[in-house]
Amino acid sequence: MLVGWAWAWVGIRSAVRFFPPGALALARMMVASVVMLVIWAVRGRRLPAPREWPGVALTGALGFATYGLCINAGEKIIPAGTASMIVACIPVLTTLGAVLCLGERLTYRGWAGVVTAFGGMLIIGTGQAGGRAELIGLLLLFGGALSATGYNLLSKRYLSRYSALDLTTWAIWTGTL
């Protein structure tokens, strides 16, 4: 799985030469939806309560639809290695979001890690050739990272009531729609 995730950056960069970002995102999401449907059905899972669907749909919109579109569009401009390093800030953004939105606390070492990670991201981002197109590509990638962060933070609300498999499945389905 790790190798597949690591290879995805190069695969996306290659694929966006031939397919529009939205079409590529939809194709990836359709495959994921079918795979998750099979897993979900075999395990005999349930659907969320009707009142939960708007929030579940928002997780899908953030964590899969918006993320996929932003990543694909960003990789039309930014090389795969740089893109993967920019988007690797998701755990740091999630940590900051948990501090700001969920009241969690960080130690001094945690804050040092946040500053170091953002410093590295700035160095990588500013190391591009420059120009308006590169800035747009970097902003798209960062937007994808922010949407994935929103997914992570919103998911916490549902994971006390639903399994990670169920929530991920529903989010993939709604993100595909």
Side-chain angles (χ1 to χ4, degrees):
M1 182 132 147
L2 181 62
V3 172
W5 181 85
W7 177 85
W9 296 101
V10 175
I12 292 168
R13 177 72 173 171
S14 296
V16 294
R17 292 186 346 220
F18 304 104
F19 302 101
L24 180 60
L26 180 59
R28 292 178 71 202
M29 293 304 303
M30 289 174 71
V31 169
S33 289
V34 170
V35 169
M36 294 307 287
L37 175 62
V38 171
I39 293 169
W40 184 81
V42 166
R43 294 189 67 188
R45 308 308 293 192
R46 62 188 170 112
L47 291 172
R51 72 182 184 290
E52 304 276 23
W53 275 109
V56 168
L58 183 57
T59 65
L62 290 171
F64 295 99
T66 304
Y67 172 81
L69 285 170
C70 287
I71 297 309
N72 294 347
E75 278 208 69
K76 277 188 90 64
I77 303 163
I78 302 297
T82 303
S84 70
M85 296 305 290
I86 297 299
V87 177
C89 73
I90 293 170
V92 176
L93 292 173
T94 301
T95 299
L96 286 175
V99 167
L100 296 172
C101 300
L102 304 177
E104 296 189 19
R105 300 221 182 264
L106 274 182
T107 64
Y108 290 116
R109 290 174 71 186
W111 282 111
V114 167
V115 169
T116 302
F118 273 110
M121 190 175 74
L122 285 174
I123 290 169
I124 291 166
T126 56
Q128 290 299 298
R132 185 172 179 209
E134 285 79 9
L135 177 60
I136 291 170
L138 292 170
L139 290 174
L140 283 164
L141 293 167
F142 191 69
L146 284 174
S147 64
T149 297
Y151 167 81
N152 291 338
L153 295 172
L154 187 58
S155 292
K156 185 170 182 177
R157 172 182 186 187
Y158 297 101
L159 290 174
S160 63
R161 295 185 298 282
Y162 301 108
S163 75
L165 174 68
D166 289 340
L167 181 61
T168 302
T169 300
W170 305 327
I172 287 172
W173 292 345
T174 59
T176 302
L177 291 174

